[in-house]
Structures are given as structure tokens and as C-alpha cells.
Amino acid sequence: MPDGLPTEIDLTRPSAARVYDYFLGGAHNFEIDRQLAEQIASMTPNLAATMRSGREFLRRAVRALLDAGIDQFLDIGSGIPTVGNVHEVAQGVNPKARVVYVDIDPVAVAHSRELLAGNELTGVIHADLRDPERILAETRRLGLIDFSRPVGILLAGVVHFIPDADGPEAILATLRDAAAPGSFLVISHSTFEDQPQEMLDAQRLSARTDTEITLRSRAQVTGFFGDWTVLEPGVVHMPLWRPDSPSDVDEHPERFGAFGAVARYDQPAG
């Protein structure tokens, strides 16, 4: 296998994580992934910018959580490590910040473990978001995250891979229920709202990977936060979520095709 990767990795089908890595300029992808990526890019020329916008939203959200005092992060659907990953952002501000990465893709997990070798404040779990109890149990076993304290749960660009039939609402509720008051939930999610037909057609190509995308409305994405307090500016197109500068937002922030938002678990009354 290339790079000594596990033999169970299927190189006959493109991987969503590896396609994402390709669009971000990473090196952990194969020809089958690049072919699909180029086909998608031919239909939506700004898709690489969309991927970068998603990563930039995540970085801004992580910085906001750090400002709120969060020092432990559970990043589910983390993908293949690229520059500016959560641990780099978090530990660049707080060297004691702890990060656990979770991904379903064995390639993403293999490269994460290689990259993070020697960083004792990070851990990597190979698991499926559709099994949140396992994710929580394995995270506890790692001993890096204390769920009795506030935690940042990061779901950037991953919930849209869960079809309605698999009950994403219940999955999100399980994760929220495990968190202590003062915790935060970060979600970015692809949408059909305000999107041109060519973007919708490109999204349908995701059916060729093992992780097909389900596009959802702003109302549906908002529902994933349950009764947590959604922070300003609410559930908005990703570039509109607390941009570093007004110049970072162009005239058509909706062109990136995804919403982003952050919510806080406030102490229940009584």
C-alpha cells in the first residue's frame, strides 16, 4: 500500500476525506480521489474556495471558544490533517489545550496518528459519527477530555454526511447530553438554500463516495443545536460568521453553499 497505509483501505472508491484534502492542497490523496475532485471542480469552479471557507470558519470558531475559556476540543469528522488544524490553532493560543480527533476514514486516521505522534495532548479515534456512544466512550478512555468540564464539540462539514434515515437529531442530542454547562457546539453544514443548480448537481456527485451528502435548510441546521443558545450572528452562510475583517466577505457569501454557527450550553435554570 502507498505510504505503508493499512491494507483495508479501499483505493477503488474515492474518499470524501481525501477529496477534501485534495481541494485544500494536501498530499494525502490518490488518483481516484483527484479524478472525482476534478470532475466536481469542472462543475463548480469555486469549490476549492468553498473548502477553504469551511476551514477558515472552523478556525474562527475555535478562536472564539478559546476566548471563552475552552481548553479541550472534540473534533468529529476531522478529516486528513492539513495546515491550520484544530490542535495547531488551539495549542498556538493555549499550549495546554487538549484535542481529540475522530474520523471514519482509515486514511485520515492513519495520517492523523502519524502527524500527531509525540503530541501527548492530542488523540485520534477511528469511529463513525452515527455511533456517538462509542465516540464518547473511546474519548473517555483516552483520558484527554474531562466531560465534567466545558468542552468544545466540533462538527465542521460532517453532519451533512448523515442521512435523515440515520437520525441525525438523536445523534446530536447524545453528544449534547454528554457535555457540561458552558460547553460549545460548532456546526457547518451544506445547504440547498440560495444555491444555483450547478452547485446542487455537484453535491450529488458525493453519491460516488462512501459518504453521500444530504443538503439541509437553515431551520434544520438550527434544530441540531437543540435548546443550546445560538451565538450571534446565528446560523449564517459561513463567511458571515464573525469575519476577521469586513473585507473578507464578498457580495455573495451564499456561494460557498454552507451554513455555520456556534451554540453554548447555558446552565439550566434552577
Side-chain angles (χ1 to χ4, degrees):
M1 292 290 293
D3 300 323
L5 295 176
T7 57
E8 65 267 19
I9 294 174
D10 183 3
L11 298 185
T12 66
R13 287 177 58 85
S15 153
R18 298 193 303 258
V19 169
Y20 182 66
D21 174 72
Y22 174 77
F23 279 121
L24 288 177
H28 307 309
N29 50 77
F30 306 119
E31 183 61 28
I32 190 71
D33 310 302
R34 294 188 284 271
Q35 289 175 358
L36 177 57
E38 292 298 334
Q39 184 179 355
I40 295 173
S42 70
M43 301 172 65
T44 54
N46 71 325
L47 191 57
T50 297
M51 301 293 187
R52 289 192 292 271
S53 179
R55 183 54 61 95
E56 290 161 3
F57 160 74
L58 177 60
R59 291 171 187 160
R60 297 195 304 274
V62 169
R63 291 199 301 267
L65 268 57
L66 288 162
D67 289 343
I70 297 298
D71 61 2
Q72 49 180 3
F73 300 84
L74 177 59
D75 184 0
I76 304 174
S78 52
I80 295 173
T82 54
V83 175
N85 250 20
V86 172
H87 74 281
E88 293 180 339
V89 175
Q91 293 175 356
V93 174
N94 179 358
K96 296 182 179 180
R98 298 168 181 262
V99 180
V100 172
Y101 291 113
V102 182
D103 205 273
I104 190 175
D105 190 306
V107 172
V109 171
H111 283 294
S112 296
R113 287 175 173 158
E114 179 181 4
L115 175 71
L116 299 171
N119 187 332
E120 297 181 354
L121 298 181
T122 62
V124 184
I125 295 171
H126 183 201
D128 190 329
L129 175 56
R130 289 170 293 188
D131 192 356
E133 294 287 4
R134 176 186 170 191
I135 290 174
L136 294 169
E138 293 199 18
T139 300
R140 292 185 178 99
R141 277 197 291 272
L142 283 177
L144 290 172
I145 289 180
D146 177 3
F147 284 102
S148 70
R149 298 175 51 245
V151 60
I153 302 174
L154 313 177
L155 296 168
V158 63
V159 181
H160 52 224
F161 292 122
I162 306 299
D164 293 338
D166 286 342
E169 296 85 358
I171 292 170
L172 269 291
T174 298
L175 293 173
R176 294 195 310 268
D177 289 346
S183 294
F184 290 81
L185 176 60
V186 176
I187 298 177
S188 59
H189 194 297
S190 294
T191 183
F192 55 80
E193 292 189 6
D194 308 319
Q195 298 308 300
Q197 188 59 47
E198 58 266 26
M199 175 63 79
L200 302 181
D201 291 340
Q203 297 281 20
R204 292 190 183 98
L205 285 178
S206 69
R208 290 179 50 191
T209 74
D210 290 327
T211 44
E212 183 177 356
I213 290 175
T214 298
L215 304 178
R216 294 188 172 97
S217 67
R218 176 184 275 108
Q220 288 174 302
V221 175
T222 302
F224 291 143
F225 292 104
D227 60 356
W228 289 25
T229 302
V230 178
L231 305 186
E232 293 294 333
V235 179
V236 295
H237 291 291
M238 292 188 299
L240 297 175
W241 199 89
R242 303 189 182 184
D244 293 327
S245 166
S247 63
D248 292 340
V249 182
D250 64 19
E251 295 180 352
H252 298 285
E254 75 281 356
R255 69 188 175 94
F256 296 108
F259 293 124
V262 178
R264 182 184 61 244
Y265 178 21
D266 291 325
Q267 181 71 48

